[in-house]
Amino acid sequence: MTHKNILITGGAGFIGSHVLRLFVNKYPNTHFVNLDLLTYAGNLENIKDLENKPNYIFEKGDIRDAGFLKKLFEKYRFDGVIHLAAESHVDRSIENPLAFVQTNVIGTVNLLNAFKDLWKEDFNGKLFYHISTDEVYGSLGKTGLFTEETPYDPHSPYSASKAASDHFVRSYHDTYGLPTVISNCSNNYGPNQFPEKLIPLFINNIKHNKPLPVYGDGQYTRDWLYVIDHARAIDEVFNKGKTGETYNIGGFNEYTNIDLIHLLCDLMDEKLGRLKGQSRKLITFVKDRPGHDKRYAIDATKINKELGWQPAVNFEEGLSKTIDWYLANDKWLSNVTSGAYQKYYEQMYHKR
Ligand code: NAD
Ligand code: TYD
């Protein structure tokens, strides 16, 4: 690691917390600043173990605030940025698209400007790494995989905002010579994911014997990757990736939602000592998500061939570890599902 001062945005969130942990522990001679607004999705409990590390500091702040970012960049003179902060949930983007434009698009452009204004044209040894999603590529039919050359075709306000931010990052590379790199990853799962996304929501509902709201016919396909495998990929891209390039990251692990939910129910029955088949009875088919993408699947050949990365955790093992984490971290779960979460759940699911 040649970088001295790295900014990680969104480090109190799900993926950001795992990335921070990996980097802070692996690179003791590099200083890491975690910038996070601590929205509903950000939680300092996720990174409590890092609090007293000498190479780590937390700064609470908003990437939508350009003036704040300018001062922060002048204070720390970041030679590297790993940008994860975002509004990240598709269903919320359908309710409030503008929040996604403000954080994901304007917030990203603010960061690019702060980086550009700090270094002027002296970009040698610097890197701006933007974390994106496979959802920018749109939806696949029964066959085929997303490659780095697949044209962008977003369908949700979330994926549209991420696509726009990717375009801005590339435009700053091409126009101002910013050293940028982008990776587009498939669906992550693992500890510390906010229980609005499919896997942690359903773990929580199964535990409490609440209905499992399956959108549409459940025949939608996602490519699942364990979050620590994603963090390892981010490490490879940050340290070995070529500037100006894009890397797709995926698990080579496709599941239809209904098959995944069956597996989850069966694993939970075992772990909770329930009769086999009991949790499956909670499955409830509800109104579909509008604009629902049928299938995502990543071709991760490039990152494998060029950077030597591949997933290490197999899905059943990762899912089992994830369930164990949620069952062992009851306090974390009850903290994040109290208050505002209850209102969110009522609002989102009473109409489906
Ligand atoms: P998350 O919602 O768990 O965390 C987002 C974090 O960003 C939170 O800590 C939140 O407080 C912070 N944040 C939000 N708005 C902010 C603002 N205005 N200023 C500063 N901080 C702010 O998200 P996640 O699932 O960890 O995703 C992280 C990144 O990875 C996102 O860019 C997302 O698009 C991308 N991604 C996610 C997945 C996935 O499956 N979760 C897959 C591929 C890519
Ligand atoms: P999600 O975890 O929201 O991730 P994304 O939409 O970014 O892929 O959803 C994963 C899949 O699960 C998606 O096809 C929508 C579906 N889903 C449900 O069927 N019910 C739910 O309550 C949720 C949150 C998702």
Side-chain angles (χ1 to χ4, degrees), residues 124-141:
N124 202 8
K126 322 284 188 310
L127 186 63
F128 187 107
Y129 180 6
H130 177 61
I131 306 298
S132 193
T133 166
D134 62 353
E135 305 195 22
V136 298
Y137 297 123
S139 185
L140 291 163

Side-chain angles (χ1 to χ4, degrees), residues 89-91 135 187 196-198 201-202 213-215 220 222 224 257 289 292 296 349:
H89 189 39
V90 173
D91 292 329
E135 305 195 22
N187 286 59
E196 61 187 355
K197 307 273 169 60
L198 180 72
L201 176 73
F202 278 32
V214 180
Y215 298 164
Y220 293 86
R222 298 291 182 265
W224 294 93
N257 291 342
R289 171 189 280 173
H292 200 167
Y296 303 144
Y349 289 96

